[in-house]
Amino acid sequence: MRIDATHRKWLIASLIILGVSTFVYIAYAASSPAGPSGGSATGLTFGIVGFAFMIFAGLLAGRKKVAIWRLGRAQTWLRGHLWLGLLSLPMIFFHAGFQFGGVLTRVLMILLITVVASGLFGAALQHYMPRMMTSEVPMETIFEQIDHVRDQLVTEADALVDGVCGATQTEQVALSGGGAIALATPAPAAVLPLRDFYTRQLRPFLLHDHRRHQTLAARADSARLFEGLRTVLPSDAHDATRKLEEICEEERQLRRQVRMHHWQHGWLLLHVPLSLALLLLGCVHAIMALRY
Amino acid sequence: MSAGLMIDLTVDGKKVSVPAGTSVFDAARLNNIEIPTLCHQQNEKPIGVCRVCVVDVGARVFTASCVRPAEQGMVVSTNSEKVKQARRTLVELLMTDHVSPCARERQSGDCELEALAKQDNLARSRFAPQATRRGVDDSSMSIGVDFDACILCDRCIRGCDEIRENFVLGRMGKGETTRIAFDNNLPMGESSCVSCGECMVSCPTGALTNKVINQTAIAAPGSEPVSLQELNELPFFEGVSGTFLSLNRNAVVRRRFKRGDVICREGEYGSTAFYILDGEARVSIASPIAHVKTKGAVKRFLGKLSSRLTQRQNDVRDDETGQHWIHIDAPMDLSYENPVATLKAGDLFGEMTCMSLYPRSATVRAESDCTVLELLRNVLDIMQRNKNFRAQLDRSYRQRALDSHLRAVPIFAGLTDEFIEGLREKVELLRFSPGQVICRQGDHADSFFLVRIGFVKVSQTHLGGDMVLAYLSRGDYFGETGLLKGDVRTATCSALDHVEVVRISAADFAEMNRQFPEVRHQLELVDRERTQMNRERLTALSSTPLDSFLKQGLMEAQSLLLLDLDSCTRCDACVRACADAHDGVTRLVREGLRFDHYLVATSCRQCLDPLCMVGCPVGSIRRRNSLEVIIEDWCIGCGLCADNCPYGNINMHPFDVFADVPGSPGQKKAMVKQKATSCDLCSEFAEPSCVYACPHDAAHRVNPRQFFAGLLQQSSDKSPKD
């Protein structure tokens, strides 16, 4: 989600909550001779509010599972998730009096900080990456269809090269000692460099063969290679070469899309399990604190 | 001519005696002396236009023998070198006016002109061919017209006027642009031509040829050929040209069906119509009338539960409860609650499939042993032009279908039996060919029309071009606006394909409104809605100058699903929400063209000009009074709407059904059928589910002209400088 002017109300509300809480905390801390404590009424209130914010933030996952229930627009939930989730950190700090406490509370604190930090990282990614993806991957496709598109690119490239060089045909040649071997029929000499380039570089690149060094992965190097190729090919092969270059560019963009997609959604692999652990341990902490 | 008075003359040295008044041509013919000719036929009045029959009668110039009466003592030479040379030149000149080989020469090798040319070894004329091509007319189902092969011999005109007395053909134009014409220069298919075939059999060249049907004969299993004599004896074919039937005998077959046999199946493509000779048949829609759903996979359980909890009406929508009739390609409509009806002897069905090649709209099964005639469309076309057959169809329509047709239109559901009885003999069934104008904007409004068959395009002419307002199909009506205002037509209505409309005169329309004020009130409401909608469209059309906007067809859209690519994280929440809202079947694909930084998702655009609606054989895709295009549950899965949508926004979704086993009546087996699905804007909700479920504020359902107004304005401000 883009953090823009439409977040102004949430920002103001969050600042007010933060300001009021800070004021209350300072007053409370100053008036407590033994220092602030999570077990005091004020400390407990901060704890309940902070945990409530965390629970609300955690409910976003459930909200997404029932996307069409009219429980409020999903974007409102996400805004709440962002701002209230962020506010939960100072609330818990006020609750704990900026102390990490015992093992469980220390773990909880570390988890909370990590979750909020990973959330901020994710929010930043989701603020910038969509625009980057839009500008840098104009040939973007649906992520789940990338493998299928790649297969199509290979098929298309094969057809283009076969169109210029002729299909690779094998000829059975009898051996003097009996038996036979299959020999490939050579392509016309003038277009041999294209076949050679395709077999050695472009096709492995399209097939995602990581065992080879892939010059074509870099746009500038690729342009240089194709330029060089055109100088040795007859002019009637230039059109096919241009199309191969376009295929190469599409493959580069698909790779970039995959990378960006992983960045854009990969952080959730950290954020979501840690959030779940935080909520579970938070419940354990609340029960233990209230009971004992 | 004085009867009994004989005259003597010499033809090619042979003394002959013929009655006074006999032409030289006939004098020769009666004495077995052949004179070549092109424009002359024995059964037509001679006019001597081709001059090929020139003979030397010893006068200053050669004369056309077909128009020159024989005279006492005349010495005629028909084949002297000079005559042959003159004839040869004439043939050569005619050949410059004739494409060679013409259609007839190619089909049967018997073009009379080309035969003469071959006889004289005139493979190619010395003269330059005509510079201006006169073209072809392919509008008739049964007769092809090639004006470039026509030598203006007028045999067709005389055949039409003198022999058949139809008076359809004539000449038009001057000089080298002269050609034959139908009515007031209409395409043959749209003219009053009854396709009797007389012109075609009269034509000496390939200018008028029978469209070859023998090669596309009906090859259905169990079909029996019907002899010409049998056809002529059937009352159904009374008055149809024997020549035509002879030429098209393979285009009609008799088929016998046992009780339970399927005559035709819904959704299948075909090119024939059926006429029931005896027995009865049951017409029904076999596809379940329901929304498509996913299979009961566990993983979709939550989505299905969502649909239930949000109280979507899964099988019956509010709109559908008010819809009582499904329009099919048969003389009657089917009831929504029980889509079954009976066809009887004398009923014709499958006309739209036959004439416009639409998919079959319903399944027809023999209710008792029955015999039907299966017809190809050239035969059906000629039948529909035949006065007797038209009268029979009209009678059958008035007696059996008028009530249900009128009552199938919700506005007219309340008309009394007495009124319809009174109307029965007054309405008129009119037929229109593709492209033909039914009523024109600005003309005096004199009738009201109900569409019986086919699709009608309603358009308005404005400065800058025509704007399509609507496509109307069976069950729709038009013409009320002009009548209610007592004014002129406000739009032009033309036939998109083969259309039949029921015409109700202005007087009867006024009487209906007087007797039924509720009908008038409803019509006025519809009129107001239509006028308002048209005004909005016109306003929208006049305010969008951007080229790329036009190129992507965004101009045509009333509602676009846009994804703001600068905000969208490609999480697919929109797609999942759509699937959850529609029983697991998504109606949007997050893929499409980009406009500015928006992705125009593959989801129904609710086009101003909804091409998807054209051709639906059961009228299940339609527009509500609001803007959304919906596909009703009686969709038979033919896929025509999906093919017609230029943006690929209609998908065919397979689902499992238990269907009849072909050839085994009563048995059923699991089969996969299809239904079309498209975005319905989640009209039960205030906001489409895809938009509601987008957490990133990236999905928007917008009116493109309003949403992009700023951008378009900037662009138009810049364009003059560019």
Side-chain angles (χ1 to χ4, degrees):
Chain A
M1 167 174 266
R2 221 164 9 159
I3 314 293
D4 55 15
T6 59
H7 284 254
R8 189 189 302 266
K9 284 180 187 168
W10 281 97
L11 175 67
I12 293 168
S14 300
L15 286 175
I16 291 170
I17 293 171
L18 183 63
V20 171
S21 304
T22 309
F23 177 75
V24 170
Y25 176 75
I26 291 169
Y28 151 67
S31 64
S32 303
S37 153
S40 66
T42 312
L44 207 56
T45 307
F46 276 125
I48 291 169
V49 171
F51 194 53
F53 283 174
M54 279 192 253
I55 290 174
F56 178 80
L59 283 175
L60 178 68
R63 173 70 187 85
K64 284 184 178 175
K65 292 286 177 200
V66 288
I68 61 166
W69 289 19
R70 266 40 190 176
L71 301 172
R73 304 181 78 202
Q75 56 161 300
T76 312
W77 280 76
L78 184 59
R79 284 165 203 260
H81 174 89
L82 282 172
W83 291 101
L84 299 183
L86 184 61
L87 275 177
S88 67
L89 186 65
M91 292 299 141
I92 297 301
F93 275 144
F94 294 157
H95 163 65
F98 292 93
Q99 301 295 315
F100 275 39
V103 176
L104 180 59
T105 50
R106 185 175 294 271
V107 170
L108 274 169
M109 275 298 193
I110 293 168
L111 275 176
L112 177 62
I113 292 168
T114 317
V115 165
V116 171
S118 64
L120 287 172
F121 177 68
L125 281 176
Q126 296 205 337
H127 177 79
Y128 291 109
M129 297 225 45
R131 259 182 288 184
M132 281 173 66
M133 181 100 91
T134 307
S135 60
E136 293 182 18
V137 192
M139 292 174 178
E140 181 191 345
T141 187
I142 296 171
F143 182 76
E144 288 75 16
Q145 290 185 356
I146 286 179
D147 285 343
H148 174 65
V149 174
R150 279 192 169 132
D151 289 345
Q152 284 184 324
L153 289 180
V154 173
T155 311
E156 201 180 324
D158 284 348
L160 276 170
V161 173
D162 286 349
V164 174
C165 307
T168 309
Q169 290 173 348
T170 53
E171 192 182 346
Q172 292 289 319
V173 177
L175 295 174
S176 54
I181 56 164
L183 291 180
T185 309
V191 292
L192 267 180
L194 177 64
R195 170 70 77 190
D196 186 54
F197 165 75
Y198 184 64
T199 316
R200 288 174 191 276
Q201 300 206 52
L202 183 51
R203 202 163 196 278
F205 175 67
L206 296 177
L207 289 173
H208 233 220
D209 186 351
H210 291 292
R211 288 168 303 179
R212 302 186 187 209
H213 171 69
Q214 294 184 332
T215 320
L216 293 169
R219 188 173 289 164
D221 292 346
S222 167
R224 210 167 28 250
L225 269 178
F226 274 100
E227 201 48 55
L229 185 64
R230 268 190 283 271
T231 59
V232 295
L233 287 175
S235 59
D236 53 359
H238 285 192
D239 189 44
T241 315
R242 182 183 54 75
K243 287 179 181 160
L244 287 173
E245 196 170 4
E246 284 170 7
I247 288 172
C248 192
E249 170 61 22
E250 189 165 352
E251 168 61 23
R252 267 196 304 274
Q253 289 198 21
L254 291 177
R255 287 179 179 206
R256 189 151 184 77
Q257 184 185 345
V258 171
R259 277 199 303 275
M260 293 174 103
H261 184 90
H262 287 152
W263 271 105
Q264 200 161 240
H265 300 286
W267 62 275
L268 287 166
L269 292 174
L270 178 71
H271 184 74
V272 172
L274 291 186
S275 303
L276 194 63
L278 175 66
L279 288 173
L280 285 173
L281 290 178
C283 287
V284 172
H285 167 68
I287 293 165
M288 284 177 68
L290 291 174
R291 189 164 178 184
Y292 304 105
Chain B
M1 175 176 147
S2 332
L5 182 64
M6 301 296 284
I7 53 171
D8 300 317
L9 67 160
T10 308
V11 182
D12 290 343
K14 185 178 176 183
K15 291 204 177 298
V16 299
S17 182
V18 292
T22 305
S23 67
V24 172
F25 181 90
D26 285 340
R29 182 178 61 83
L30 291 170
N31 290 281
N32 301 321
I33 298 168
E34 195 183 333
I35 302 175
T37 183
L38 284 172
C39 73
H40 182 48
Q41 283 201 126
Q42 282 313 114
N43 55 353
E44 293 174 355
K45 201 163 113 184
I47 53 172
V49 290
C50 74
R51 318 300 289 185
V52 169
C53 63
V54 286
V55 291
D56 183 359
V57 293
R60 187 174 56 84
V61 291
F62 293 162
T63 184
S65 60
C66 64
V67 288
R68 177 70 189 255
E71 291 170 14
Q72 180 64 33
M74 186 182 262
V75 178
V76 181
S77 171
T78 67
N79 60 359
S80 67
E81 275 313 308
K82 276 188 176 178
V83 169
K84 282 202 255 183
Q85 184 56 44
R87 192 174 293 139
R88 188 182 152 86
T89 305
L90 284 163
V91 170
E92 202 174 354
L93 283 167
L94 285 170
M95 283 293 283
T96 64
D97 242 6
H98 173 84
V99 287
S100 177
C102 63
R104 183 163 165 182
E105 185 67 16
R106 286 197 305 272
Q107 277 177 21
S108 48
D110 62 347
C111 168
E112 293 178 32
L113 174 61
E114 294 190 42
L116 284 176
K118 274 183 202 157
Q119 209 173 300
D120 288 334
N121 292 321
L122 288 171
R124 188 160 295 170
S125 170
R126 287 170 294 156
F127 308 109
Q130 193 171 354
T132 316
R133 308 297 282 182
R134 289 172 293 178
V136 295
D137 175 357
D138 206 30
S139 59
S140 165
M141 294 276 174
S142 45
I143 299 171
V145 186
D146 182 354
F147 295 108
D148 287 327
C150 175
I151 54 169
L152 295 170
C153 66
D154 285 359
R155 268 163 57 167
C156 54
I157 296 173
R158 283 172 286 155
C160 186
D161 295 355
E162 295 168 15
I163 301 171
R164 292 286 175 175
E165 298 187 347
N166 285 323
F167 304 102
V168 176
L169 271 161
R171 276 191 184 208
M172 66 157 285
K174 280 179 161 184
E176 66 172 12
T177 61
T178 310
R179 63 182 208 180
I180 56 165
F182 301 88
D183 287 341
N184 191 17
N185 197 25
L186 289 174
M188 188 182 198
E190 290 176 22
S191 70
S192 58
C193 166
V194 296
S195 296
C196 67
E198 190 61 44
C199 56
M200 188 173 69
V201 294
S202 299
C203 180
T205 68
L208 291 156
T209 47
N210 176 45
K211 287 189 174 172
V212 180
I213 295 304
N214 296 336
Q215 290 165 8
T216 54
I218 300 169
S223 58
E224 302 166 10
V226 192
S227 72
L228 184 57
Q229 192 186 348
E230 282 178 280
L231 286 178
N232 278 328
E233 284 168 4
L234 287 169
F236 181 56
F237 285 94
E238 190 187 333
V240 178
S241 156
T243 312
F244 179 83
L245 287 177
S246 157
L247 287 165
N248 294 278
R249 57 186 172 276
N250 290 334
V252 189
V253 293
R254 185 192 294 108
R255 295 182 66 190
R256 297 179 200 279
F257 294 93
K258 292 212 178 324
R259 185 170 185 272
D261 286 353
V262 172
I263 300 173
C264 64
R265 212 178 284 278
E266 70 199 42
E268 285 178 354
Y269 281 84
S271 56
T272 55
F274 298 91
Y275 179 81
I276 302 182
L277 287 174
D278 58 58
E280 288 188 351
R282 191 185 63 161
V283 56
S284 62
I285 288 190
S287 292
I289 297 182
H291 291 7
V292 288
K293 298 174 182 178
T294 46
K295 292 171 190 173
V298 177
K299 65 178 182 179
R300 300 309 315 163
F301 175 74
L302 203 55
K304 283 170 167 293
L305 187 66
S306 300
S307 293
R308 297 268 179 259
L309 288 171
T310 48
Q311 296 181 334
R312 271 184 83 86
Q313 299 294 309
N314 283 323
D315 291 316
V316 182
R317 301 178 185 135
D318 288 345
D319 262 28
E320 288 155 12
T321 54
Q323 176 81 22
H324 297 299
W325 300 94
I326 301 170
H327 306 295
I328 57 165
D329 187 10
M332 72 286 290
D333 297 311
L334 299 182
S335 148
Y336 184 78
E337 288 77 25
N338 180 29
V340 176
T342 303
L343 293 163
K344 295 179 176 163
D347 279 341
L348 177 73
F349 61 94
E351 285 168 274
M352 279 179 70
T353 298
C354 181
M355 298 302 287
S356 304
L357 304 178
Y358 291 141
R360 302 272 183 213
S361 61
T363 298
V364 180
R365 191 183 288 279
E367 186 90 324
S368 61
D369 289 357
C370 67
T371 312
V372 301
L373 286 181
E374 189 171 2
L375 323 165
L376 277 175
R377 68 177 176 156
N378 61 327
V379 176
L380 182 63
D381 179 62
I382 203 166
M383 301 302 299
Q384 288 178 330
R385 288 165 181 272
N386 178 269
K387 287 171 196 159
N388 296 332
F389 181 72
R390 293 292 314 160
Q392 191 183 329
L393 269 190
D394 279 12
R395 203 163 44 246
S396 167
Y397 173 78
R398 287 172 209 278
Q399 285 167 2
R400 295 192 49 211
L402 179 64
D403 325 35
S404 67
H405 188 183
L406 275 173
R407 295 223 163 91
V409 183
I411 281 183
F412 302 123
L415 295 181
T416 59
D417 290 344
E418 293 74 38
F419 181 79
I420 293 179
E421 197 56 43
L423 209 56
R424 211 180 286 284
E425 293 309 316
K426 294 180 185 168
V427 299
E428 208 179 339
L429 262 183
L430 301 176
R431 184 169 179 274
F432 295 90
S433 303
Q436 209 172 343
V437 173
I438 302 169
C439 61
R440 202 179 292 277
Q441 185 177 349
D443 284 356
H444 172 65
D446 60 353
S447 12
F448 173 75
F449 300 95
L450 275 170
V451 183
R452 191 179 97 84
I453 289 177
F455 288 84
V456 173
K457 183 172 83 172
V458 185
S459 58
Q460 253 178 358
T461 305
H462 296 279
L463 287 174
D466 284 357
M467 177 176 74
V468 176
L469 302 180
Y471 294 109
L472 306 177
S473 61
R474 185 180 168 99
D476 290 325
Y477 53 87
F478 57 97
E480 78 287 353
T481 305
L483 288 175
L484 286 170
K485 291 174 183 156
D487 203 354
V488 293
R489 301 282 185 209
T490 54
T492 298
C493 300
S494 49
L496 265 184
D497 49 19
H498 295 273
V499 167
E500 264 193 22
V501 293
V502 180
R503 179 181 170 274
I504 298 175
S505 70
D508 292 329
F509 182 78
E511 179 60 22
M512 178 173 73
N513 287 336
R514 195 186 61 74
Q515 282 190 33
F516 305 95
E518 182 54 25
V519 171
R520 182 183 177 92
H521 175 64
Q522 292 290 327
L523 284 169
E524 283 171 346
L525 275 180
V526 171
D527 173 46
R528 271 201 293 277
E529 273 174 18
R530 287 180 176 177
T531 310
Q532 176 64 22
M533 202 186 297
N534 298 345
R535 198 175 296 132
E536 282 169 11
R537 283 180 193 173
L538 187 62
T539 313
L541 278 169
S542 57
S543 60
T544 43
L546 201 67
D547 271 4
S548 60
F549 195 72
L550 294 171
K551 276 178 195 159
Q552 289 196 19
L554 304 185
M555 179 76 186
E556 276 298 316
Q558 294 192 99
S559 170
L560 285 182
L561 176 61
L562 294 180
L563 301 179
D564 181 349
L565 291 173
D566 286 354
S567 300
C568 175
T569 63
R570 286 71 167 167
C571 68
D572 273 341
C574 50
V575 179
R576 281 197 298 273
C578 181
D580 287 348
H582 298 98
D583 294 307
V585 182
T586 184
R587 283 140 192 237
L588 93 90
V589 181
R590 198 175 47 72
E591 183 89 301
L593 293 169
R594 290 180 178 194
F595 184 74
D596 197 29
H597 59 90
Y598 293 96
L599 176 80
V600 182
T602 305
S603 178
C604 182
R605 299 172 170 209
Q606 318 293 343
C607 293
L608 285 167
D609 182 4
L611 293 170
C612 53
M613 287 188 194
V614 177
C616 177
V618 288
S620 68
I621 183 164
R622 66 185 183 89
R623 172 166 265 158
R624 283 176 171 165
N625 288 337
S626 48
L627 53 83
E628 73 269 23
V629 174
I630 57 164
I631 298 173
E632 298 288 9
D633 284 352
W634 61 79
C635 163
I636 58 169
C638 67
L640 200 61
C641 53
D643 292 343
N644 282 348
C645 174
Y647 310 107
N649 290 344
I650 296 180
N651 299 307
M652 299 308 295
H653 186 79
F655 68 106
D656 296 334
V657 291
F658 276 94
D660 295 336
V661 180
S664 305
Q667 283 188 30
K668 290 187 180 286
K669 70 172 181 181
M671 290 174 81
V672 176
K673 293 207 78 160
Q674 295 195 109
K675 269 187 193 279
T677 57
S678 80
C679 173
D680 58 0
L681 296 178
C682 291
S683 50
E684 291 88 342
F685 303 130
E687 195 170 27
S689 295
C690 51
V691 177
Y692 190 73
C694 174
H696 305 287
D697 195 20
H700 307 275
R701 258 282 172 194
V702 299
N703 179 323
R705 285 171 298 274
Q706 289 167 7
F707 189 79
F708 292 117
L711 195 69
L712 295 170
Q713 190 57 45
Q714 281 174 22
S715 168
S716 61
D717 290 347
K718 276 182 194 168
S719 55
K721 293 169 201 164
D722 297 340

